[in-house]
Amino acid sequence: MGFLLESLRSAAGLLTSLDPELLGIVKLSLAVSGSAVALAGLAGVPLACCLVFAEFPGRRLLRSVSDTLMSLPSVVAGLLVYSLLCRKGVFGAWDLLYSPFAMAAGQFVLALPIIVSLTAAFLEHADPRIRKTALTLGAARWTSALAVVRETRNGLAPALLAGFGRVFAEVGASMMLGGNIRNYTRNIPTAMAVKTSEGEFAAALALGIVLLLAAFSINAAVGLFRREAERAL
Amino acid sequence: MLFDLKGVKRRFGAKTALDLPSLKLDEGRPVVFYGPNGSGKTTLLNLLAGLDKPCEGEVRFSGGPLDVTLVEQKPYLFNASLLENTVMGLRYRGVPRSRREALAEPLLKRLGLWDRRDRPCAGFSDGERRRAALARGLILGARALLLDEPMANLDRGYASVVEALITEEAGKPGRTVLTATHDLGQAFRMGADVVYLVEGHLSRVPLWNVFRCEVAASADASVRKALVAPSAEFIVSTEVLGPATVSIDPRDVLLSFQPIDSSALNCLKGRVESASMLGLEVDVVVSAGCRLHAFITPKSMARLGLKPGDEVYATFKASAVQVLG
């Protein structure tokens, strides 16, 4: 117990003194996960629109594939991107492995199905009159889908935040694709893993506290947006 | 020919909501679809607007998707200001901003909404939402304007404005206004053709029980009475006074051997003149100070055992008496 308290005290010290290495780790985590989720959102919301509003064979199948991939193990996502980026892979010549880009690519693969499935579920439950009204006022097919997205935009934020929550704390893909290189590809989860194994509990704990704070803020934000969305419906 | 419907059927589950072997609607002729709740009026409007597809048959429209618009009974207003909502269709058509506002201003002013143009629609009352949706539909000047119960749930004072706007729109060249309504008076005043829908079927029965009468004040200030030649008197719910034309839907008339104690204000004693099959129903003519048609099912007919000469009571609500004009 004394050991834990001691570690907590040093962790608080590291956090309040804004330890440069710690700050760098937090910044990298935010930058990698933030860009991965932003891109997954840009790709995922239109994809969700296709799954909900377009009519093509295999639509239902794709939808359940996306639902299944929501629980894709992060090491499998890591392996997938690894096979593309490694020397023998399709993009091997570009030497992208063990870089923040590779980490973001892995996180993109993890976040995409979550964003697609949650957005699709939300769009499916949107007021059917939105699309109907847009169509009868002369909107083209895609403009009318855009109208539904616009009208339900508050409800789409939880999908993005859920995607962020998934990738911000995952360790498998980041470790495989980033390689946990100090001051380059070391993010919060990989740093925690390595610090713990090196016996630096205080540093690991400080990072854990940052992770928990981030998780808490994300949950609070999801709750806030959900309430907003429910009020709008 | 604006719309040409052939063999159109629309089913919801096991229920056939609409079954129209043939219906043609001409350009420029206003038409009113009239019928009780659940008669398929809204289903028909959705098909005409191209928002729904028939299960069988085809709906042919001589225009494109931008030539028809529908104003729903419970309209959806976008999460935006009233003005943005009003001009949404014009935006979809690429009309420039200055022109959009110039078109919206006179319309919103007449509907008493111009002062609220910058307010978000979320806080609007039902009546305001309906007026806003009407403005949003009217502003397009579409070849076919479809209105679902445009006169229902309007705030007091706006019924006449809305009716005038609709009548003006119907009078413009190249415009066709198709309205689903409970209010036959509107059809009468607009000079619209009436298409009668009963349980999804067309009924070529235009108006029944049409009487010229004199509407007078009654002892109870909340209702009026209509004096019908030769010697009938109905309680009616109207604001009109003086000479008027009224109509009673024969399906709203109940027949019984004993007077019925109910909320209906009209219970006339009469005698059965004749009873004959009319389509799937029996048309019973009762002489009760005037000749009153009542449509009942063959089953009710058999159960009551009605014969010409029987003494019966005809019961109907004051609101079943439609004042046409």
Side-chain angles (χ1 to χ4, degrees):
Chain A
M1 201 62 205
F3 162 73
L4 189 66
L5 276 178
E6 186 54 39
S7 301
L8 261 176
R9 196 169 300 136
S10 339
L14 277 174
L15 284 176
T16 47
S17 69
L18 300 174
D19 178 68
E21 193 188 343
L22 189 83
L23 273 186
I25 289 170
V26 172
K27 261 190 228 160
L28 179 80
S29 257
L30 286 172
V32 167
S33 299
S35 50
V37 169
L39 289 172
L42 282 178
V45 173
L47 276 174
C49 282
C50 286
L51 286 182
V52 175
F53 299 121
E55 275 156 30
F56 55 90
R59 189 172 65 106
R60 285 189 182 285
L61 183 74
L62 268 181
R63 181 70 206 281
S64 42
V65 167
S66 173
D67 286 348
T68 312
L69 290 181
M70 280 175 86
S71 50
L72 180 74
S74 63
V75 281
V76 176
L79 191 65
L80 186 79
V81 177
Y82 190 96
S83 69
L84 293 173
L85 300 186
C86 70
R87 294 243 178 257
K88 289 181 189 163
V90 187
F91 304 107
W94 297 6
D95 201 18
L96 292 168
L97 201 59
Y98 304 126
S99 68
F101 174 85
M103 295 162 77
Q107 298 193 352
F108 174 88
V109 171
L110 284 173
L112 189 66
I114 292 178
I115 290 171
V116 169
S117 283
L118 293 184
T119 304
F122 194 80
L123 291 176
E124 272 166 1
H125 290 104
D127 191 331
R129 293 178 305 166
I130 300 174
R131 186 132 192 270
K132 208 175 152 191
T133 304
L135 284 173
T136 200
L137 290 175
R141 215 179 154 77
W142 285 110
T143 321
S144 71
L146 202 68
V148 181
V149 175
R150 268 174 52 103
E151 288 296 296
T152 57
R153 55 186 177 267
N154 283 341
L156 301 183
L160 294 179
L161 290 170
F164 189 81
R166 168 85 164 107
V167 299
F168 193 58
E170 77 69 40
V171 66
S174 297
M175 196 66 105
M176 285 173 86
L177 298 166
N180 194 27
I181 304 165
R182 193 171 176 194
N183 294 332
Y184 184 48
T185 58
R186 182 167 289 179
N187 66 4
I188 299 176
T190 59
M192 277 181 77
V194 79
K195 299 275 182 209
T196 309
S197 60
E198 284 170 1
E200 285 189 49
F201 290 109
L205 205 58
L207 289 163
I209 290 168
V210 174
L211 215 50
L212 276 176
L213 281 176
F216 178 76
S217 331
I218 289 168
N219 266 327
V222 170
L224 200 71
F225 273 112
R226 191 155 287 159
R227 271 195 298 283
E228 279 287 312
E230 272 160 14
R231 200 145 33 121
L233 285 179
Chain B
M1 190 78 59
L2 191 64
F3 286 101
D4 189 0
L5 284 73
K6 279 202 190 97
V8 166
K9 280 191 185 172
R10 181 67 175 98
R11 283 181 289 264
F12 295 105
K15 188 181 182 290
T16 302
L18 204 61
D19 183 357
L20 304 173
S22 166
L23 176 66
K24 293 182 200 309
L25 301 168
D26 288 327
E27 180 126 32
R29 283 287 304 149
V31 173
V32 162
F33 302 114
Y34 175 73
N37 275 334
S39 57
K41 303 191 291 285
T42 301
T43 307
L44 176 57
L45 289 184
N46 278 323
L47 289 173
L48 293 177
L51 296 169
D52 188 17
K53 287 191 175 63
C55 302
E56 280 174 40
E58 63 171 337
V59 176
R60 222 179 269 166
F61 177 46
S62 67
L66 293 181
D67 293 326
V68 56
T69 191
L70 166 68
V71 180
E72 290 188 273
Q73 188 176 4
K74 288 192 180 122
Y76 182 87
L77 296 180
F78 295 105
N79 191 2
S81 75
L82 168 65
L83 186 61
E84 284 174 74
N85 261 287
T86 309
V87 302
M88 194 63 86
L90 297 177
R91 272 179 58 177
Y92 290 144
R93 285 163 172 74
V95 176
R97 189 192 184 88
S98 56
R99 175 98 186 108
R100 297 200 296 251
E101 296 200 2
L103 284 167
E105 186 175 344
L107 205 50
L108 290 181
K109 276 188 173 156
R110 280 185 72 181
L111 286 163
L113 293 168
W114 182 243
D115 295 339
R116 315 196 60 182
R117 63 187 178 279
D118 293 323
R119 296 267 195 89
C121 290
F124 279 25
S125 73
D126 259 11
E128 287 167 331
R129 302 177 78 83
R130 296 184 55 86
R131 277 182 279 147
L134 186 74
R136 188 170 65 180
L138 275 172
I139 202 170
L140 299 176
R143 277 173 66 199
L145 174 65
L146 314 179
L147 304 169
D148 199 353
E149 299 282 359
M151 310 300 288
N153 307 327
L154 283 172
D155 328 52
R156 272 209 176 277
Y158 281 102
S160 55
V161 177
V162 167
E163 187 172 318
L165 276 169
I166 296 172
T167 308
E168 278 168 35
E169 182 70 13
K172 290 179 186 163
R175 309 280 171 82
T176 310
V177 177
L178 307 172
T179 313
T181 186
H182 279 94
D183 178 15
L184 267 187
Q186 195 201 346
F188 190 82
R189 290 185 293 271
M190 275 173 71
D193 291 342
V194 176
V195 170
Y196 214 122
L197 278 171
V198 180
E199 295 190 355
H201 294 265
L202 279 186
S203 167
R204 291 280 168 204
V205 185
L207 280 181
W208 286 81
N209 295 329
V210 179
F211 304 108
R212 278 304 289 171
C213 66
E214 186 77 20
V215 179
S218 76
D220 181 345
S222 67
V223 289
R224 304 227 151 115
K225 57 187 180 185
L227 307 168
V228 180
S231 61
E233 190 179 310
F234 311 148
I235 303 292
V236 291
S237 166
T238 178
E239 283 160 37
V240 174
L241 267 181
T245 303
V246 297
S247 160
I248 303 160
D249 187 330
R251 292 176 183 88
D252 286 339
V253 182
L254 291 175
L255 297 179
S256 57
F257 286 120
Q258 300 297 324
I260 301 174
D261 184 19
S262 72
S263 66
L265 292 172
N266 292 299
C267 188
L268 309 181
K269 189 174 167 185
R271 207 168 277 283
V272 175
E273 256 183 38
S274 65
S276 53
M277 283 303 288
L278 191 87
L280 298 171
E281 292 163 309
V282 185
D283 171 20
V284 181
V285 182
V286 178
S287 151
C290 61
R291 287 183 86 234
L292 199 59
H293 291 264
F295 291 173
I296 61 175
T297 59
K299 192 179 169 190
S300 315
M301 184 73 188
R303 196 164 54 84
L304 284 171
L306 281 176
K307 301 181 302 297
D310 283 350
E311 190 171 89
V312 289
Y313 289 85
T315 306
F316 49 93
K317 292 159 70 165
S319 57
V321 185
Q322 300 224 29
V323 180
L324 301 178

